[in-house]
Amino acid sequence: DAGVIQSPRHEVTEMGQEVTLRCKPISGHDYLFWYRQTMMRGLELLIYFNNNVPIDDSGMPEDRFSAKMPNASFSNLKIQPSEPRDSAVYFCASRLSSGNTIYFGEGSWLTVV
Amino acid sequence: DQQVKQNSPSLSVQEGRISILNCDYTNSMFDYFLWYKKYPAEGPTFLISISSIKDKNEDGRFTVFLNKSAKHLSLHIVPSQPGDSAVYFCAAREYGNKLVFGAGTILRVKS
């Protein structure tokens, strides 16, 4: 069975450029989460969706960050313009509404230089 | 303000001994707790969980203990194996809502 699929796995970009990270949740899962992992703060929740609707975006650091979920099988996280402090691993995760466990993708490693 | 805290950034244990990872939380509305394990260059994977109505859950070498009055949970791994070396994240959930994670503890099991 396919798990959560994220792309790209690695991204190196210059400061000021737009970055788009993509996620395909597990089929049938109706919750989708975007997390960011940094050394200082561990795993931070950025935003999550239920049935494609954003429920809580209080973790999005600033207006440079945006996320959409146009359909049940796709979500993207955009950073525009990117800054060096955005360098981190970004994880997408999904779960069933009836479940307690969320399942993570392998992450997108972002480096902004 | 971190609602889930893992105060030990790292832990080193000899193979065959017990590993104890600790986690504290502040939100009394949390009703479900999970532990995730993460290897380098991989996403976190679910390890074990416990509902707030229980105080212990066991799965093979892994046991999670919950002390609600102290708002504290711990993960015991016995016996520890070198393959257990990873980052362990504690997570807590308010009913129906998001998971809040701690900062993680790096476990190193020495052979």
Side-chain angles (χ1 to χ4, degrees), chain A residues 9 31 33 35 37-43 45 48 56 58 91 95 99-107 109, chain B residues 1-2 32 34 36 38 40-46 49 87 89 93 96-104 106:
Chain A
R9 286 300 311 277
Y31 278 85
F33 305 83
Y35 283 88
Q37 183 189 11
T38 61
M39 289 293 293
M40 294 300 295
R41 300 177 67 88
L43 277 170
L45 177 65
Y48 77 96
D56 184 349
S58 59
F91 289 102
R95 72 167 172 90
N100 294 312
T101 304
I102 66 172
Y103 297 88
F104 284 85
E106 293 189 321
W109 293 66
Chain B
D1 182 27
Q2 284 193 307
Y32 202 81
L34 305 90
Y36 280 76
K38 183 184 179 304
E42 295 182 10
T45 55
F46 170 73
S49 62
V87 180
F89 290 99
R93 189 200 73 181
N97 291 327
K98 60 192 178 187
L99 283 184
V100 179
F101 283 82
I106 300 171

Side-chain angles (χ1 to χ4, degrees), chain A residues 41, chain B residues 1-5 26-27 100:
Chain A
R41 300 177 67 88
Chain B
D1 182 27
Q2 284 193 307
Q3 298 186 74
V4 177
K5 298 179 182 179
T26 57
N27 188 343
V100 179

Side-chain angles (χ1 to χ4, degrees), chain A residues 54-100:
Chain A
I55 303 300
D56 184 349
D57 65 354
S58 59
M60 297 286 259
E62 45 197 277
D63 292 346
R64 298 184 297 107
F65 286 69
S66 64
K68 292 183 179 179
M69 191 167 185
N71 58 62
S73 59
F74 177 75
S75 175
N76 63 35
L77 176 68
K78 288 189 178 182
I79 309 172
Q80 167 62 21
S82 57
E83 296 182 3
R85 60 193 169 119
D86 302 330
S87 299
V89 185
Y90 291 80
F91 289 102
C92 178
S94 69
R95 72 167 172 90
L96 288 166
S97 57
S98 57
N100 294 312

Side-chain angles (χ1 to χ4, degrees), chain B residues 45-88:
Chain B
T45 55
F46 170 73
L47 184 59
I48 192 170
S49 62
I50 187 168
S51 166
S52 60
I53 63 173
K54 294 184 176 181
D55 56 16
K56 177 182 176 181
N57 188 28
E58 189 172 355
D59 183 4
R61 297 186 297 113
F62 303 91
T63 303
V64 56
F65 295 92
L66 175 63
N67 182 333
K68 284 189 67 177
S69 61
K71 294 190 175 67
H72 176 85
L73 68 157
S74 60
L75 173 68
H76 292 211
I77 306 173
V78 56
S80 301
Q81 299 174 354
D84 297 329
S85 297
V87 180
Y88 288 79

Side-chain angles (χ1 to χ4, degrees), chain A residues 39, chain B residues 6-12 21 86-88 103-108:
Chain A
M39 289 293 293
Chain B
Q6 294 177 255
N7 292 319
S8 298
S10 65
L11 175 67
S12 185
L21 296 102
V87 180
Y88 288 79
T105 297
I106 300 171
L107 173 65
R108 296 187 185 90

